[in-house]
Amino acid sequence: MRPSIKQVAHLAGVSIATVSRLLNKPGSVSAETAEKIHRSIAELGFRPNFTGRNLRAGNSRTVGVVVPTLSNTVFAQCLQGIELAARALDYSVMFTTTEYLPEEESAAVELLLGHRVDGVILTVADAGANATLDLLERERIPFVLAYNQLAATGAASHRASVSVDNRVAACDAVSHLIALGHRRIQMLSGRFNASDRAMQRHSGYLDAMQAAGLTPLPAIEVERHTLTAATDYQQMMADPLHRPTALFCSNDLLALSAMRDLRALGLQVPGDISVMGFDGIPVGALIEPVLASVVQPSEQIGDVALRTLVEAIERAVPAAAVAAAGEGPAISTAATDAVRHILPHVLRAGGSVAPPAPLSS
C-alpha cells in the first residue's frame, strides 16, 4: 500500500494538520519542522494526492486538449508547447483526437469534461458554427481555439483563439510562386468541410491569383493526407502544356505525399512541377529537395493557448468561490472575452520550388 499522510506525520512526530499545511503552503511551518517532514516523506516514498486537494478546492488543475490527429506533427508540436507551459504553471494535460471527424468533437469534449478538466484547448472543423463550442459556452467552461482563425466580427468573434493569419499566409506563399514566374498554380487541399483553415488558405490562394490577374484553377480536395486516385492524377498531369506548373498544398503532409506521387509518375520536383506546403513541419527540412513551406510557430501556438486558457480559468475560479459563499453569481469571463492572438508566419525557402521550365511558361 502507498504510504499515507498519517504515516508521514507519525514518523516526523507532528500532526497530520502540520504535514497538510506544509504541502499546501510550504512557508506556513518552521524550517526545522519542514525538514523533519521532508525527511519522513523521502524515507517513506510518500506522494501527495494533489488531485484530491485540487477537487476540494473546486478545480482539478487539469486542462483538456482536442486536436484532429497526432499523425500530423504540427499538432504534436502544439501539444508539446501546451504541455511545457502547463508544467510551468502547475497544470496537467489530458488530450484526445477527433481524426478530422466533426461528429467526434462532442464525444471528445464530453470525455474530457467527465474527467473534470478546468478548461479545454481545441482545434475544430469549423469554429464559426460549432455545436460543441456552443455547449462549452452554455456550460461556462473556459476554452481556447488553436489554429482556428476567427473573424473580428460575427456571431463567433468573441471566442478566444490562437493562430496565424491563414489567408494572408497562403496569399504570401502563392505570391512567391507567382514571383518565380508560375501562372498555372493549383491548390491541393484536405476537405474544406473538415477544416476551416483549408478554406481560409484557399481564400488566400484566390487573393494572390486575382491580384496577379491570373485565372484560379479548381481546388483539388482529398481525404486526409492522401491524394486522388492514380488515374485522376495521371490525367491531370498528362499534358505538359496544360498541367499546373506549381501545386500549393494546404498542409505539409499533403505536399510530401504529392512529391512522392509525382515522382512515381516520372515527374521531377521542381524541374517539372513545383510544390509548396503549409505548416513548416521539421521533417520537411530533412528531405531532398527541402520542402518550401509556410512555417507556423506551432509550439508557440500551444504555449500561448495554454496561458490564455489558464488566465480565463483563474479569472473564473474566484467568481465561483464568491458565488459559493453566497455573495453573487458565478461569472466566467472566458466565453465573453474576445482574445484573438495572431502569431507571425514565415516562408521557408526550399528546393521544392523553382521557376517553371521553359516549356511550361
Side-chain angles (χ1 to χ4, degrees), residues 18-195:
T18 300
V19 177
S20 180
R21 283 202 309 276
L22 174 69
L23 294 175
N24 289 289
K25 295 181 179 179
S28 64
V29 300
S30 68
E32 181 182 355
T33 301
E35 184 179 353
K36 288 193 294 184
I37 295 172
H38 284 307
R39 280 202 305 267
S40 298
I41 287 173
E43 183 175 337
L44 292 171
F46 173 73
R47 180 175 290 114
N49 182 1
F50 290 115
T51 299
R53 182 197 71 183
N54 291 335
L55 290 178
R56 286 191 296 274
N59 65 325
S60 66
R61 297 196 72 82
T62 301
V63 298
V65 180
V66 180
V67 293
T69 181
L70 291 183
S71 64
N72 186 343
T73 57
V74 70
F75 296 115
Q77 289 175 270
C78 179
L79 183 60
Q80 178 167 312
I82 291 170
E83 202 281 328
L84 290 174
R87 192 186 310 171
L89 296 175
D90 193 27
Y91 275 75
S92 299
V93 177
M94 291 184 65
F95 74 90
T96 186
T97 63
T98 60
E99 296 304 316
Y100 288 96
L101 299 173
E103 61 270 24
E104 291 296 316
E105 292 170 358
S106 177
V109 167
E110 289 290 351
L111 172 68
L112 294 171
L113 294 182
H115 286 275
R116 302 189 66 171
V117 298
D118 295 332
V120 188
I121 297 171
L122 316 89
T123 302
V124 297
D126 183 357
N130 189 287
T132 300
L133 301 184
D134 294 341
L135 170 66
L136 289 171
E137 287 180 344
R138 287 196 302 272
E139 297 287 333
R140 293 193 174 276
I141 306 297
F143 68 87
V144 175
L145 294 159
Y147 295 104
N148 295 110
Q149 177 187 351
L150 293 165
T153 59
S157 61
H158 59 280
R159 291 172 171 165
S161 61
V162 186
S163 70
V164 297
D165 191 321
N166 288 282
R167 184 168 183 165
V168 170
C171 182
D172 287 348
V174 177
S175 296
H176 176 67
L177 294 172
I178 293 170
L180 290 173
H182 292 279
R183 298 295 177 264
R184 292 192 303 280
I185 303 169
Q186 195 153 25
M187 183 170 178
L188 194 61
S189 175
R191 295 290 179 189
F192 290 155
N193 64 2
S195 172

Side-chain angles (χ1 to χ4, degrees), residues 106-349:
S106 177
V109 167
E110 289 290 351
L111 172 68
L112 294 171
L113 294 182
H115 286 275
R116 302 189 66 171
V117 298
D118 295 332
V120 188
I121 297 171
L122 316 89
T123 302
V124 297
D126 183 357
N130 189 287
T132 300
L133 301 184
D134 294 341
L135 170 66
L136 289 171
E137 287 180 344
R138 287 196 302 272
E139 297 287 333
R140 293 193 174 276
I141 306 297
F143 68 87
V144 175
L145 294 159
Y147 295 104
N148 295 110
Q149 177 187 351
L150 293 165
T153 59
S157 61
H158 59 280
R159 291 172 171 165
S161 61
V162 186
S163 70
V164 297
D165 191 321
N166 288 282
R167 184 168 183 165
V168 170
C171 182
D172 287 348
V174 177
S175 296
H176 176 67
L177 294 172
I178 293 170
L180 290 173
H182 292 279
R183 298 295 177 264
R184 292 192 303 280
I185 303 169
Q186 195 153 25
M187 183 170 178
L188 194 61
S189 175
R191 295 290 179 189
F192 290 155
N193 64 2
S195 172
D196 54 9
R197 286 86 63 207
M199 291 188 290
Q200 291 159 354
R201 293 166 195 176
H202 183 247
S203 295
Y205 161 82
L206 295 176
D207 290 343
M209 295 292 282
Q210 291 166 359
L214 301 175
T215 301
L217 299 177
I220 304 169
E221 295 180 66
V222 301
E223 295 293 340
R224 295 292 299 268
H225 306 306
T226 59
L227 297 181
T228 53
T231 53
D232 294 336
Y233 221 166
Q234 288 172 339
Q235 183 178 3
M236 181 178 71
M237 298 296 172
D239 185 352
L241 294 177
H242 295 93
R243 70 187 179 211
T245 64
L247 290 177
F248 169 56
C249 303
S250 65
N251 63 66
D252 279 356
L253 288 188
L254 200 52
L256 294 173
S257 297
M259 291 170 68
R260 175 201 63 201
D261 291 352
L262 289 166
R263 284 193 292 267
L265 293 175
L267 297 172
Q268 299 294 316
V269 176
D272 296 311
I273 185 168
S274 289
V275 177
M276 169 72 76
F278 196 115
D279 281 336
I281 61 176
V283 71
L286 301 179
I287 64 170
E288 181 58 40
V290 169
L291 175 63
S293 182
V294 174
V295 181
Q296 300 193 83
S298 289
E299 190 168 328
Q300 186 184 5
I301 287 174
D303 178 281
V304 174
L306 186 283
R307 294 179 188 278
T308 301
L309 179 62
V310 167
E311 287 177 7
I313 290 169
E314 295 185 352
R315 285 198 307 270
V317 168
V322 168
E327 299 177 20
I331 300 174
S332 168
T333 60
T336 57
D337 285 351
V339 181
R340 289 185 300 278
H341 296 282
I342 300 296
L343 303 186
H345 65 276
V346 296
L347 291 184
R348 180 174 68 201

